[in-house]
Structure formats: structure tokens, C-alpha cells
Amino acid sequence: ELGTLIKQINAKLVGHFRYYGVTDNSNGIHTFGYCVRRKLFEILNRRSQKKSLTWEGFAKLTDRFPLAKARIYVNIYG
């Protein structure tokens, strides 16, 4: 089920963001989050022989099942 898949992805994303989310690594974790979104779109598009999902449809899907946002968890300067 899609809801279960998104929960698992979010758990992995949050773990990654908590580990790597230090002050000067915001570009890296945002890039990682973007790559995960692209890969999820690619995987969901493989479910049939034709392209069944557009970026607009994917945006609606992520509105319903939001993915975790990249954020800085540790400020090393303060």
C-alpha cells in the first residue's frame, strides 16, 4: 500500500536528516531529499507499461501523503 511505503520512506528520510542535518550541510540534505522524490516518482511510474503518473499527479499524491522535509537538527555554532 502507498501509505505504508510513504511511512517507511519518511522514517528513513527523518533518520538521514537527523544524522546529517548539521549547520553547514543544508545543501546536501536538500539534494538528498530531492533525489528521493525523483526516485519515488520513477518507481511509481514503473507500475504499468505506460507512463501513468505526471509531475502534477505526483504533486497531488505528495499533498495527500507528504514526504518529510529536510531541515537542520543540530546547530554546531550555538
Side-chain angles (χ1 to χ4, degrees):
E1 176 180 318
L2 191 58
T4 307
L5 175 67
I6 298 296
K7 281 183 185 178
Q8 290 175 348
I9 291 173
N10 278 337
K12 293 181 187 300
L13 279 173
V14 168
H16 185 86
F17 295 153
R18 284 185 184 271
Y19 188 81
Y20 291 104
V22 295
T23 303
D24 290 337
N25 199 22
S26 61
N27 285 342
I29 62 174
H30 284 289
T31 301
F32 180 76
Y34 174 74
C35 289
V36 168
R37 287 179 192 276
R38 295 276 312 214
K39 187 53 98 172
L40 180 62
F41 174 75
E42 180 182 316
I43 288 170
L44 291 177
N45 237 346
R46 271 192 218 165
R47 294 187 294 176
S48 69
Q49 296 294 324
K50 60 184 174 120
K51 299 287 182 189
S52 59
L53 189 63
T54 62
W55 277 108
E56 291 81 21
F58 184 70
K60 288 179 185 176
L61 188 70
T62 55
D63 285 343
R64 183 166 179 207
F65 300 106
L67 290 172
K69 303 276 188 224
R71 64 177 281 240
I72 299 299
Y73 283 92
V74 178
N75 182 0
I76 61 174
Y77 299 121

